[in-house]
């Protein structure tokens, strides 16, 4: 058995020595063979003497080949093994559509759909026999109707991605693309950097629990610093981040070693200390206090719209937020629902895979909370999570969204190849890295045009879907316009798949809704439920 395990290694050693000897008396071919075998022999010696990997010690050289294939496996699967409809989190068909639209290449499809129309989870829109003309005007959504400085948002915008997670060239390209295309660029929680502002695109400034760019030395919120930056005319809206889809309920730490002078200045944090992002906001502790904080930010910003971003978790907390609005008479101007399928540069696998509500369930719940409490007419609703096409936008809008945000799709428009190395700082396309040599490959002017192209072509596709359904605006879409296949022989419109409450149902007859227990437990003065929701676990 020992001979079998080491036979290849021993053979390489013998042939290596033999070829070296013969190279002195024979032809140059023996020297060439030695040059090939010597690295393999060296690898085998290293495998035998190292102590970290038992497989390498027991099977020198052979086990090293396994490591090579394991490292190459993601790329082999993506480019050779997987079909166009396989691959996660985005398949080749979804990515190719973004690439084509970003480059203004052919995006039409011949010979019919490749999707299995009788497979469970297949979805389609119903069309009209009296379609409308396709709108030539870009759709806009007025946000902050009661604000001094309302904003007309596009229906597809760049979702939150921070400088630091993305390199400066990527941030610049996104913002320049947003300016060219007339849509907004969300800063992410990392602060308002010079690279967000250099090209003049519309900005939504995200204020998260670390209050980066508007914090005091001890990490608390600084009204003075916030007011100074919020006054920038490029900042159109303020977004208070409560949680993120890919890692809801999870804080973060940027180690002191990674806090560069530039990041220190942008985030307003000291050099030589860990940068802490708390899991919850220090500025408020209850839904009612949150509404007071929203009103304070609106006043400090000079009347700009202020909204919330969250991945939906406990339903009782969503209803507590709504009760906070009713209790205080204050409401956010918009709420962005981030789905649990949303992306991140890095997160614990358990949170990414199993924490938080997926976008559709979260969006329906938030829609019902606002409609059922009579607040929907005052609060705009946005959806964020795996938006790549006009249909993904239309489906979100049919169940309640006023507009959509996308992050990874815009990364694809920048040239992302889904190498899954975002957390390593070694992104091969120069997007999620601060390495200047890798960033050099991302040319801002070229990629900005692709960003604008993708957004424009996707909104045009949405307009075509809306017109084919016999409608004039995406706001006319309703749940019954989208059908979902339950089984190979059964399909239903979305209004028969999910509950959709009528206006005021939670105020007039909450016990007749599916949310009776959660609504009763919701408290405007606490995120904790005031009563038990569901049965208790047995002792």
């Amino acid at each position: 058995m020992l001979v079998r395990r080491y036979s290849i290694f021993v053979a390489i050693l013998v042939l290596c020595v033999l070829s070296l000897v013969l190279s002195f008396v024979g032809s140059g071919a023996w020297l060439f063979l030695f040059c090939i075998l010597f690295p393999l022999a060296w690898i085998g010696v290293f495998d035998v003497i190292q102590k970290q990997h038992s497989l390498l010690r027991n099977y020198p050289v052979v086990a090293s080949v396994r490591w090579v294939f394991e490292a190459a496996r993601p790329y082999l699967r993506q480019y050779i093994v997987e079909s166009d409809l396989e691959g996660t989190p985005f398949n080749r068909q979804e990515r190719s559509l973004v690439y084509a639209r970003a480059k203004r290449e052919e995006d039409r499809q011949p010979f019919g759909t490749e999707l299995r129309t009788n497979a469970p989870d297949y979805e389609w829109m119903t069309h009209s026999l009296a379609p409308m003309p396709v709108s030539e005007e870009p759709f806009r959504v007025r946000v902050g109707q009661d604000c001094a400085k309302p904003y007309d948002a596009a229906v597809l915008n760049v979702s939150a991605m921070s400088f630091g997670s993305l390199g400066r060239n990527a941030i610049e390209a996104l913002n320049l693309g947003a300016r060219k295309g007339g849509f907004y660029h969300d800063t992410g929680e990392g602060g308002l950097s010079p690279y967000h502002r250099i090209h003049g695109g519309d900005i939504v400034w995200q204020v998260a629990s670390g209050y980066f760019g508007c914090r005091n030395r001890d990490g608390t919120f600084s009204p003075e610093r916030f007011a100074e930056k919020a006054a920038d005319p490029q900042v159109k809206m303020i977004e208070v981040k409560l949680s993120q889809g890919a890692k809801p309920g999870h804080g973060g730490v940027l180690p002191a070693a990674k806090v560069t002078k530039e990041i220190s200045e942008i985030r307003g944090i000291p050099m030589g200390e860990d940068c802490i992002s708390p899991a919850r906001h220090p500025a408020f502790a209850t839904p009612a206090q949150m509404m007071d904080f929203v009103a304070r930010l609106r006043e400090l910003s000079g009347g700009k719209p202020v909204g919330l971003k969250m991945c939906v978790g406990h339903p009782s907390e969503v209803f507590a937020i709504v009760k906070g609005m009713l209790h205080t008479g204050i409401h956010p101007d918009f709420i962005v629902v981030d789905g649990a399928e949303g992306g991140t540069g890095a997160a614990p696998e358990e949170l990414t895979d199993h924490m938080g509500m997926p976008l559709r369930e979260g969006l329906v719940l938030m829609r019902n909370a606002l409609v059922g409490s009579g607040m929907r007419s005052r609060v705009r609703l946005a959806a964020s999570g795996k938006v790549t096409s006009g249909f993904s936008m239309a489906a979100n809008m049919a169940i309640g969204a006023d507009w959509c945000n996308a992050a990874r799709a815009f990364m694809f428009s920048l040239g992302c190849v889904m190498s899954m190395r975002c957390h390593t700082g070694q992104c091969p396309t120069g997007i999620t890295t601060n390495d200047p040599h890798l960033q050099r490959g991302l040319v801002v002017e070229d990629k900005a045009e692709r960003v604008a192209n993708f957004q424009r072509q996707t909104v045009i596709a949405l307009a075509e879907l809306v017109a084919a359904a016999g409608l004039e605006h995406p706001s006319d879409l309703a749940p019954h316009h989208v059908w979902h296949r339950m089984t190979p022989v059964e399909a239903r419109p979305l209004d028969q798949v999910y509950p959709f409450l009528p206006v005021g149902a939670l105020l007039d007859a909450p016990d007749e809704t599916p949310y009776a227990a959660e609504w009763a437990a919701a408290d405007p003065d606490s995120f904790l439920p005031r009563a038990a929701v569901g049965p208790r676990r047995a002792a």
Side-chain angles (χ1 to χ4, degrees):
M1 186 65 180
L2 180 64
V3 174
R4 289 175 57 191
R5 288 194 286 112
Y6 282 84
S7 58
I8 294 179
F9 173 50
V10 172
I12 289 173
L13 284 178
V14 171
L15 288 173
C16 184
V17 173
L18 182 62
S19 62
L20 177 62
V21 172
L22 293 177
S23 68
F24 290 104
V25 296
S27 66
W30 291 108
L31 180 61
F32 178 73
L33 180 60
F34 171 77
C35 292
I36 294 176
L37 293 173
F38 179 75
L40 294 176
W42 177 255
I43 291 172
V45 171
F46 175 80
D47 289 347
V48 170
I49 64 176
Q50 61 83 35
K51 299 179 180 180
Q52 285 75 38
H53 302 288
S54 58
L55 196 62
L56 294 177
R57 287 171 65 87
N58 291 335
Y59 296 90
V61 181
V62 176
S64 293
V65 175
R66 173 188 178 274
W67 295 108
V68 171
F69 279 100
E70 188 173 77
R73 180 176 180 272
Y75 308 104
L76 295 174
R77 284 184 59 82
Q78 183 179 141
Y79 294 108
I80 299 175
V81 179
E82 291 175 347
S83 74
D84 287 348
L85 300 179
E86 294 176 331
T88 55
F90 294 87
N91 62 41
R92 169 59 62 175
Q93 186 180 78
E94 292 168 325
R95 291 165 52 199
S96 295
L97 179 63
V98 177
Y99 294 147
R101 287 178 173 168
K103 298 175 184 178
R104 294 298 298 272
E105 295 176 350
E106 181 62 71
D107 65 348
R108 290 175 294 181
Q109 179 173 309
F111 223 66
T113 181
E114 294 182 32
L115 301 177
R116 293 176 55 205
T117 59
N118 64 337
D121 296 335
Y122 174 74
E123 292 186 337
W124 69 91
M125 283 182 62
T126 55
H127 67 281
S128 172
L129 295 179
M132 300 292 290
V134 178
S135 175
E136 296 182 359
E137 294 296 323
F139 302 120
R140 312 299 293 193
V141 179
R142 174 61 60 93
V143 188
Q145 298 94 320
D146 301 325
C147 292
K149 299 176 181 178
Y151 177 64
D152 292 325
V155 291
L156 179 60
N157 304 279
V158 181
S159 193
M161 292 182 282
S162 302
F163 169 68
S165 295
L166 269 58
R168 59 172 292 177
N169 285 13
I171 294 292
E172 284 193 39
L174 290 171
N175 194 258
L176 179 56
R179 194 197 75 191
K180 289 175 177 285
F183 50 96
Y184 75 65
H185 178 196
D186 193 312
T187 65
E189 68 175 291
L192 187 58
S193 75
Y195 313 116
H196 288 100
R197 294 182 287 183
I198 191 172
H199 295 292
D202 289 354
I203 286 174
V204 170
W205 180 18
Q206 186 180 95
V207 176
S209 57
Y211 306 124
F212 299 127
C214 57
R215 59 187 268 149
N216 295 311
R217 179 69 174 76
D218 60 358
T220 56
F221 176 71
S222 170
E224 297 77 18
R225 293 179 182 177
F226 172 82
E228 178 184 355
K229 293 189 175 180
D232 188 326
Q234 213 176 321
V235 175
K236 303 301 182 182
M237 300 196 294
I238 311 299
E239 180 181 272
V240 180
K241 174 190 167 185
L242 304 178
S243 60
Q244 178 181 347
K247 47 184 177 183
H250 189 267
V253 178
L254 183 67
K258 293 187 177 182
V259 180
T260 64
K261 185 174 185 298
E262 184 176 46
I263 291 178
S264 172
E265 293 174 353
I266 292 170
R267 294 197 175 194
I269 57 178
M271 295 280 290
E273 296 181 15
D274 291 342
C275 174
I276 307 296
S277 295
R280 59 189 297 174
H281 277 260
F284 53 83
T286 70
Q289 290 176 7
M290 182 199 295
M291 294 304 110
D292 291 333
F293 186 64
V294 166
R296 191 181 186 194
L297 296 185
R298 190 181 292 125
E299 180 183 0
L300 290 169
S301 66
K304 295 180 179 179
V306 178
L308 309 175
K309 175 187 176 179
M310 62 185 296
C311 177
V312 174
H314 299 315
S316 61
E317 293 183 351
V318 171
F319 295 128
I321 291 173
V322 170
K323 285 188 175 181
M325 300 179 200
L326 298 171
H327 178 72
T328 61
I330 303 168
H331 60 85
D333 298 294
F334 64 94
I335 296 176
V336 178
V337 176
D338 197 14
E341 64 271 45
T344 180
E349 184 171 331
E350 291 83 357
L351 269 74
T352 298
D353 289 346
H354 302 290
M355 185 65 76
M357 277 194 192
L359 176 59
R360 181 161 292 180
E361 285 75 11
L363 187 58
V364 168
L365 179 61
M366 186 63 72
R367 177 264 179 206
N368 283 338
L370 293 172
V371 171
S373 63
M375 298 297 296
R376 182 64 179 90
S377 61
R378 304 179 185 181
V379 182
R380 295 296 190 183
L381 198 52
S384 177
K386 296 193 74 171
V387 174
T388 57
S389 68
F391 177 74
S392 57
M393 293 179 64
N396 289 337
M397 293 171 168
I399 59 175
D402 292 304
W403 76 84
C404 296
N405 292 339
R408 288 169 292 180
F410 278 107
M411 288 173 63
F412 291 141
S413 75
L414 289 174
C416 169
V417 295
M418 207 169 78
S419 65
M420 310 297 280
R421 301 178 70 182
C422 309
H423 59 302
T424 67
Q426 298 298 314
C427 171
T429 53
I431 299 172
T432 61
T433 178
N434 289 295
D435 185 323
H437 299 290
L438 290 172
Q439 288 195 67
R440 180 181 176 276
L442 198 162
V443 179
V444 171
E445 292 73 16
D446 174 66
K447 295 301 188 284
E449 194 64 39
R450 295 188 183 189
V451 168
N453 287 342
F454 163 67
Q455 195 270 357
R456 184 186 309 112
Q457 297 303 113
T458 304
V459 173
I460 289 173
L462 171 66
E464 292 174 341
L465 290 175
V466 171
L471 308 174
E472 295 182 347
H473 193 276
S475 60
D476 298 327
L477 287 165
H480 66 266
H481 289 122
V482 177
W483 283 58
H484 182 95
R485 184 171 292 286
M486 313 297 291
T487 71
V489 294
E490 181 187 8
R492 299 178 186 175
L494 291 185
D495 61 348
Q496 295 181 24
V497 177
Y498 298 99
F500 289 90
L501 300 187
V503 176
L506 291 172
L507 302 178
D508 300 332
D511 291 341
E512 298 177 11
T513 73
Y515 311 109
E518 288 88 352
W519 177 260
D523 188 343
D525 293 318
S526 175
F527 285 109
L528 298 175
R530 64 165 65 128
V533 178
R536 293 287 188 179
R537 188 181 69 173

